[in-house]
Amino acid sequence: EVRRQLRPLEKQADAARRHGDLVGELAAVRRYLLGGELSAVEARLAAGGRERSELERAEAELRTALAGLDADILRAEAEIGASDAAEPAVDLAELVSRAEAGKARAAGLVAVLEERQRSVRRALTATTDQDVIAALEAEAAALTERMVGADEEAVRLLPLADELAEAEATLAEETEAVDAQWQLDDTRVTDPAAEVRGELAALRASLEQSGGEARRMDSRLESIQRRVTRLAAERDRLQGVVAATEAATLRLADDERAAAAAAAAAEAELEAASVDQRRADAGHHRWAAREEALAQGLDEARARAGAERLAGIGGVLGTLAELVEVDEGFEAAFEAAAGAVLAAVIVDGVGTARRGLQTLHHAAVPGAVVPVPDRSDPPTPHPSTAHLFNPDSGTLTQANPMRPEGAMWLRDRVRARLPSVGTLLDALLAGAAVVDGGWEAALDVAIARPELVVVTRSGDRLAGGLWQLRAGATGVTGAALEEARRQATASAAAAATAETRLQEARRQATDASAPRDAAARAVEANAARRRAAVDAQERVDAEWAEADSERAVTAAQRQELAGRFQREQARIAEMESLLPALEEKAEAEAERAAAARAARSRLAERTAAVAAIRRDLEVRAAGLEERRTMTANRLEEVEQRLRRHAAERDDAAARRQQLEQTVTVTQRLLGLVSTRQRELDELLDRLRQARRAQAEAAQARTERLEQLRRQRGTAERQLAEARERANRVELDHTEARVRLEALTETIRRDLDCEPEAIRGAECPPLPPGTSALSRRAELERELRLMGPINPLALEEHTALQERHQFLEAQLEDVRNARRELTKVIRAVDAEIVEVFRAAYADVAENFEGLFATLFPGGQGRLRLTDADHLLETGIEVEARPSGKNVRRLSLLSGGERSLTAMAFLFAVFRSRPSPFYLMDEVEAALDDVNLHRFLDLLHEFRTEAQLLVVSHQKRTMEAADCLYGVTMAPGGSSRVVSERVSVTAPS
């Protein structure tokens, strides 16, 4: 928690330190920047005053120039007015406009007349169509000739069509004759030789397959025979392995028992050494804690008495707790009797005491000093005398010298380490009596003897009317501290010796456990080899029987294959004898078929040629018919157009005469308009020249006036600019004055000084490549990002750091204690492991013996699932009744599972006996034989403990010493009946 508080507080302290540095640097940068800005503002005020005077002088000059320009403009405007009055009354601009409009109308008329002329000529040209008519007549004549040629070509094609029909008829007759002959030959053609060859090839392939199969069967028979031989040898070997493992079982069992005995002895020694080591560690820790507590108590007593402040003064002997030795058991009584003197500093005299008090007074430190009585003073009487010393007043009083009954003088139990302190003890403990009883007995003594200081061993103090319980209970003295140190040193040596003995015992236990584990592993390995050999033997027997059966079946199949092979060879010989005659007959039939195929091939060629001729003739006839149709259609169209043009020729002649007259009139109008257009062009040129001269004169006067006006405008703009600049200068001057006042206020507020103090301030050191402005922005940004800081963080961090160091020391003590506890936990775990290992070994051994008793000839054992981690391991039960190969307990019958569970239960009983055992119908699933075995087991245990069995089995009841039952009469309540029977041991 302190570390968690320290981290953010450390950050706050760093932030406070960083904040102070940033504030200091920012103040220096601000002084420099504000000083520079102050100088700049003052320079700006001076420059603004000078510029304002210059602008006032320029403004006066511009006003004078504007007055002169106004007079010149008035004179120019008067001249222009006079020239306008002297101009003629005719407006040349209007005349030019009228002339240009007439010229445009003339050009439009010329264009219209030219277009009209062109259209009339086109119409005149269109009326002459003699060339078109001649072309149509020529085309009609050509089409007529084409029609005649087409008819002649059609006549030439008729003989070719007749010849083609005759050739097709002849070819059809020849084809029918050849087909009839080939069909007759097909009814007689057969190929028995091919059938024989096919069957012969199939028989040969089957014969070859049979031979391959026969070879494979022979190879398989040899392999089976080798397997049978190998399995027989393996069976003999496994029988030898089983016999060898059975012979080694007894020897390995003896070795395991001897190794277990040696390991048990080593473990017993380890247990004793572990107990001694824990006892020695506990004693060492106890005395070390007492030593630390006593040392801390003495330090606190010295601090309270101011011993450290008085260490430099001569004559200081130390605190009273350091200078006395108290008998064991009387420490609290001495503290109660000594009171405040126990925490005081003992000095050698009054002078030393005076100097000590002065030192404590000047240092303002609380403390107490006690001077040792001077040797020249009369000796303080022993408590047997009549004087008593009051530690509060420091005076002696008369008292009864008799010792109270049931009490003893405390001075006899306290001894001084220095002779001079003995006198102080005599005075301090005079009349101090220790009562052995409690505070009640002490109270009785105090009432009877009020002059005594009565204390108890538990630290109760009753004296002077002040009765106080537990006035002293710390027992802190220098002698006690030295005794604690001696005991701590001795206990540390004893702990080291015990640790050495424990390590040696562990080594011996480890050395002894190795042979025991090796023997157990050897026994387990031998049993595993025997089980593996038995399993392998059973597997080999099954494989041998299977291989023998397979060999018999394969031999029968081989004999059947040999018979089929002989039959196929006889059939092949028969087919080979018939094949030559059949092949000769097949050759003759093949020659006749070849001749027929040749005749048909020739007919097919002739048929293809005739078909090609017919297709060509049909194409020519179709093309000729299409040409005649197209020619007739075109000829009809041309004749229609010729008949239509014959009626239009007369109308075209009259229209042509009218168009020729229109062309003549249009030509005359076009000449007249062209003449007038040329006259307008000449007039327009003269008017434009006069207008240009007039405009140039007016433009000269106007340009002079415009120039004067521009000059006046420029002067006005300059005057406005001068006035605007004057306003800006005035505004800048006012702003600079305001800025100067603001800077003065800022300097006085932020820097707490006058402007003269920072004028010319030097720039503080800046990082390379950084200006003062950017540095100020960076510092302000860092301060802004840092946000509010805790100004008290530095002091709080220092105090908390001291607290953290103190807690670190305390935490280290806790860590040491945790390490010690870890050692204890490891020792407890080791003890648990050893106890579990011993219990498991006993239960496993008893389980095997009981299982063999309950299952004669069977085997059962317990196995750890994780033998390397005994604190996390589980236990598996392996049960193999005689004659069964069971791999899971769920495959056992109900009775077998019950007997297996009872074997484990009684193995636990035998390993860790109990005065009595209670069982509830555990034999319900057992048959007579297994029940007899169960009763034998009960008889074996009945001499060791009391057995309570709930049962419905008659034989179980017969084996009991006493029977208890519950019965209920009709209509009544249940009651318990008991009967004691005499039991004879089962045979």
Side-chain angles (χ1 to χ4, degrees), residues 136-147:
L136 291 174
E137 291 177 350
E139 184 178 1
L143 290 173
T144 304
E145 291 178 358
R146 290 177 63 184
M147 289 289 292

Side-chain angles (χ1 to χ4, degrees), residues 78-89 701:
E79 291 177 359
I80 291 174
S83 64
D84 290 340
E87 289 294 334
R701 291 189 295 271

Side-chain angles (χ1 to χ4, degrees), residues 748-777:
R748 290 172 179 172
R749 184 185 67 250
D750 295 346
L751 302 182
D752 194 17
C753 64
E754 292 298 324
E756 291 77 9
I758 67 169
R759 186 179 287 112
E762 295 182 358
C763 180
L766 299 175
T770 304
S771 63
L773 287 174
S774 61
R775 183 56 181 168
R776 183 183 66 179

